[in-house]
């Protein structure tokens, strides 16, 4: 098992398998997972977005943590993560590529 990876940022379109990959990876390397939807939307659903400043504050607080997997579709949030914290970034376009990536752990 690879233990050198402590931060993973997974960004992709809706339905691309981000959540699936994040959960499988978390099972293998025991990292906590954050879904960016939980930061972007008010509690209770997708009816109202939170203020961007509050979202970015929360995102940067998570980015400062030593270990995490973060997944979502929000490029404007991910851009801040990329600047604030070194993370493993992987571009995977198919479920086969995701399974191949997971097999390396």
């Amino acid at each position: 098992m690879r233990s050198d990876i402590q931060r993973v940022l997974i960004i992709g379109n809706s339905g691309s398998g981000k959540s699936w990959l994040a959960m499988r990876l978390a099972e293998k390397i025991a990292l906590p997972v954050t879904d960016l939807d939980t930061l972007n939307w008010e509690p209770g659903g997708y009816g109202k977005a939170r203020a961007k400043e509050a979202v970015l504050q929360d995102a940067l607080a998570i980015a400062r943590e030593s270990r995490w997997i973060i997944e979502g579709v929000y490029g404007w949030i991910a851009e801040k993560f990329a600047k604030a914290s070194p993370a493993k970034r992987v571009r995977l376009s198919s479920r086969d590529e995701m399974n191949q990536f997971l097999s390396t752990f």
Side-chain angles (χ1 to χ4, degrees), residues 43-57:
Y46 301 107
K48 184 177 180 198
R50 294 175 60 217
K52 285 192 175 191
E53 298 79 26
V55 173
L56 289 177
Q57 263 185 342

Side-chain angles (χ1 to χ4, degrees), residues 14-91:
S14 295
S16 64
K18 301 175 302 297
S19 298
W20 180 88
L21 178 59
M23 298 313 280
R24 297 311 172 288
L25 187 57
E27 290 170 2
K28 288 183 171 273
I29 59 176
L31 294 177
V33 176
T34 298
D35 178 342
L36 291 179
D37 279 338
T38 63
L39 299 182
N40 189 64
W41 299 102
E42 291 288 344
Y46 301 107
K48 184 177 180 198
R50 294 175 60 217
K52 285 192 175 191
E53 298 79 26
V55 173
L56 289 177
Q57 263 185 342
D58 289 348
L60 291 175
I62 293 168
R64 286 189 290 270
E65 297 289 326
S66 61
R67 306 174 69 248
W68 46 257
I69 298 171
I70 296 164
E71 64 91 0
V73 69
Y74 305 96
W76 64 273
I77 301 173
E79 180 180 307
K80 300 297 182 184
F81 273 107
K83 290 179 182 177
S85 177
K88 176 73 173 171
R89 294 177 197 100
V90 180
R91 182 181 204 127

